[in-house]
Amino acid sequence: MNDTSRISAEFLTSASSLVDCPQDSIPEIAFIGRSNSGKSSCLNRVTGTRSLARVSKTPGRTQLINFFRTSYHGRLVDLPGYGYARVSKQKQVEWGHAVDQYLKDRSNLIGLVLIVDSRHPPQPLDLKMLAWCRESQLPLLILLNKVDKAKQRERTACLRAVQEILGDYQLADVVLFSAKSGKGTEAVLQKIYDWFDLAAT
């Protein structure tokens, strides 16, 4: 039985576009979410490393596609956040194009971890991402993050909204998560191992 209690990772490389991504067939699981949803903090919590992904209170800090080799059969990928970011409109367009290319054309991608702030209903871009994953039949794990800060009614409303758009989409799972306390980490690690195991067969 595999040890699913932790997964170690280390930085491999960064890419500003699809052509700069590693040219191999190693499976990848990507983390994505709105700017300031806690995406980098979630990645750090899952890998048990405080400084793996750069964390900042300033939205839009992740500006490249960052690749991390892991102790298992694949890579983790930190994608630039979407939505509000303190950068120029031109830069946001460039990020969006790079992320769109990665999601649509990266054959290594086997699963997506979508970070949603549980204190608020899913925003239009969150809903767009959920709908795209469903249409593309891409395995999806939604982390309702910051549950340690959310009120019960906020968590419930967010969960219901996500479940409503997912409907009977059987390739998606939802986990109540806290990058701060570690709540939900075990479930996330299990899903990551399951996806990598499936890709290895």
Side-chain angles (χ1 to χ4, degrees), residues 16-86:
S16 60
S17 65
L18 186 64
V19 296
D20 297 325
C21 295
Q23 301 300 306
D24 54 37
S25 59
I26 295 176
E28 296 167 354
I29 295 172
F31 283 61
I32 194 170
R34 284 184 60 83
S35 295
N36 220 26
S37 63
K39 174 173 55 65
S40 295
S41 296
C42 289
L43 187 55
N44 287 342
R45 166 61 71 173
V46 168
T47 58
T49 309
R50 290 185 178 182
S51 59
L52 183 72
R54 187 175 180 184
V55 177
S56 172
K57 292 183 179 179
T58 302
R61 183 60 68 184
T62 303
Q63 301 183 10
L64 297 169
I65 301 173
N66 295 311
F67 295 83
F68 304 92
R69 62 168 62 93
T70 74
S71 55
Y72 211 57
H73 303 310
R75 285 190 289 255
L76 299 180
V77 181
D78 189 12
L79 297 173
Y82 52 81
Y84 172 79
R86 292 179 183 173

Side-chain angles (χ1 to χ4, degrees), residues 25 63 80 84 113 119 170 187 193:
S25 59
Q63 301 183 10
Y84 172 79
V113 180
R119 297 173 297 177
Q170 297 183 358
Y193 277 106

Side-chain angles (χ1 to χ4, degrees), residues 8 11 19 22 30 35 44 50 73 75 79-82 103 109 126 128 137 144 160 168 182 184 188 197:
S8 61
F11 176 75
V19 296
S35 295
N44 287 342
R50 290 185 178 182
H73 303 310
R75 285 190 289 255
L79 297 173
Y82 52 81
L103 292 175
L109 182 63
D126 295 323
K128 183 179 179 180
Q137 290 294 292
L144 301 189
R160 286 176 177 172
D168 60 353
V188 177
D197 264 340

